[in-house]
Amino acid sequence: MGITLMGHEKMLIVVVVALMVSSTVYGVGGNFRDEFEPTFGDHRVNMAGRDLSLSLDQYSGSGFRSKREYLYGRLDMQMKFVEGNSAGTVTTLYLTSDQSTGRHDEIDFEFLGNVSGQPYTIHTNVFSQGQGSREQQFHLWFDPSKAFHTYSIVWNPKLIMFLVDETPLRVFRNYENHGITFFPKRQPQKIHASLWEADDWATRGGLEKIDWTKAPFVAHYRNFNIDTSPNGAYRNHDLNAQSRKRLRWVQKNYMIYNYCTDWKRFTSSFPPECKHAKFN
Ligand SMILES: *[C@@H]1O[C@H](CO)[C@@H](O)[C@H](O)[C@H]1NC(C)=O
């Protein structure tokens, strides 16, 4: 009898500890309403505490952005994309400074839908002073419409890193010590997200059109976390031996486009960071 009780007590302790651990993992994100505001799509932006959904129909897509702007930080967002035939839809999570200046900075994650059973494409890009054209694209090693996964952007003075479930897909470094000035580093940026229609280009170069009989299309966001603390872990974030290995694995097996190897596009010369970028 006594032994059974002790067994239960132990179990209780295990449960309490497990709850504490999971609340430190998931409890750090805030309420969407506190940090974010809708940008377009009216009722298609649906905020409920730590959950948010965006929808897209024949009349409009939808989007939201942070109320505050940030200069460096780490953003984590759990996301689940449009299920089934999502061809022609684009779900985004990106940072951008004020675009009206014509010299804006931007860090992009875009998720291009596909016909049922075919893989999403993850499109990434970086803009500095109004210039972009730094695309890399990937497929994923799982179906991102079936469950929530964590998509992260780390931005510090040394680098920008795109991660999925802590696996780095891409590292874009600041090479100013090599005289290369292309890096977003002075302008604060807001967090943006959206779900919209781009069937003129998104899926197989626009060959696959949106199937509106499946509308509304819905994408889910939840449990965001924004770390901008002056001593935040993102500050010194960089690859270590293990994450470098993961990066190489992704780049070898899942990268489908890299501007630094697009000979057709950059016939005379590649952007200057390309010669350093292979040594990530
Ligand atoms: C859609 O699926 C095709 C075939 O598997 C693939 O080539 C393509 O990269 C996928 N993604 C998009 C956005 O077209």
Side-chain angles (χ1 to χ4, degrees):
M1 185 70 169
I3 292 168
T4 342
L5 271 179
M6 270 182 63
H8 280 141
E9 276 166 18
K10 265 192 202 151
M11 217 164 91
L12 196 67
I13 291 170
V14 171
V15 169
V16 169
V17 170
L19 283 174
M20 284 165 61
V21 169
S22 70
S23 73
T24 54
V25 172
Y26 296 111
V28 279
N31 259 333
F32 275 97
R33 261 179 221 294
D34 296 339
E35 296 295 331
F36 294 96
E37 59 193 8
T39 43
F40 70 106
D42 305 311
H43 62 276
R44 296 173 189 83
V45 183
N46 193 346
M47 300 191 192
R50 294 174 186 284
D51 292 283
L52 181 153
S53 67
L54 292 180
S55 68
L56 161 69
D57 55 39
Q58 290 94 317
Y59 307 103
S60 179
S62 51
F64 62 96
R65 71 165 170 233
S66 61
K67 296 177 186 168
R68 290 184 285 176
E69 48 183 24
Y70 306 95
L71 185 59
Y72 303 129
R74 174 180 172 131
L75 166 67
D76 300 294
M77 183 74 80
Q78 294 183 3
M79 299 172 67
K80 187 155 75 81
F81 303 127
V82 173
E83 264 188 280
N85 184 353
S86 58
T89 70
V90 178
T91 307
T92 69
L93 179 67
Y94 61 102
L95 304 173
T96 183
S97 65
D98 180 3
Q99 298 206 350
S100 68
T101 62
R103 303 182 66 81
H104 79 287
D105 292 342
E106 187 176 322
I107 303 169
D108 290 339
F109 243 150
E110 297 193 331
F111 308 92
L112 318 183
N114 216 334
V115 289
S116 299
Q118 295 304 310
Y120 266 78
T121 291
I122 297 199
H123 175 92
T124 62
N125 202 359
V126 176
F127 285 72
S128 167
Q129 300 287 318
Q131 305 266 311
S133 303
R134 265 69 182 176
E135 304 89 350
Q136 280 188 3
Q137 293 186 341
F138 306 86
H139 284 155
L140 286 168
W141 47 98
F142 55 84
D143 181 345
S145 69
K146 289 284 183 268
F148 280 94
H149 292 267
T150 304
Y151 301 85
S152 312
I153 295 173
V154 173
W155 176 32
N156 66 36
K158 274 195 311 193
L159 58 78
I160 293 161
M161 200 184 288
F162 297 88
L163 304 109
V164 175
D165 294 332
E166 294 302 324
T167 291
L169 301 182
R170 175 174 190 183
V171 178
F172 187 89
R173 290 189 189 275
N174 181 352
Y175 290 111
E176 66 189 340
N177 56 351
H178 292 274
I180 296 166
T181 55
F182 191 102
F183 193 83
K185 63 174 186 184
R186 273 189 247 290
Q187 310 187 75
Q189 306 193 36
K190 283 189 178 183
I191 302 163
H192 286 248
S194 58
L195 171 60
W196 51 288
E197 178 218 326
D199 75 358
D200 52 339
W201 61 271
T203 307
R204 296 212 299 127
L207 290 177
E208 303 290 351
K209 296 299 177 192
I210 288 198
D211 178 2
W212 289 117
T213 65
K214 300 289 184 329
F217 301 99
V218 182
H220 299 271
Y221 297 73
R222 73 176 192 197
N223 290 339
F224 70 87
N225 184 39
I226 305 165
D227 178 2
T228 54
S229 57
N231 303 314
Y234 73 89
R235 276 271 160 193
N236 296 311
H237 197 98
D238 204 334
L239 294 169
N240 56 30
Q242 202 199 338
S243 57
R244 180 172 284 114
K245 219 168 130 189
R246 292 290 287 171
L247 176 75
R248 296 228 197 292
W249 173 77
V250 173
Q251 300 224 329
K252 178 161 176 259
N253 297 296
Y254 295 98
M255 187 155 78
I256 54 173
Y257 179 79
N258 180 4
Y259 74 106
C260 279
T261 57
D262 191 343
W263 306 94
K264 285 203 196 105
R265 180 173 169 199
F266 299 103
T267 42
S268 52
S269 66
F270 283 101
E273 70 277 9
C274 286
K275 66 173 179 291
H276 304 286
K278 20 183 189 301
F279 307 109
N280 260 324

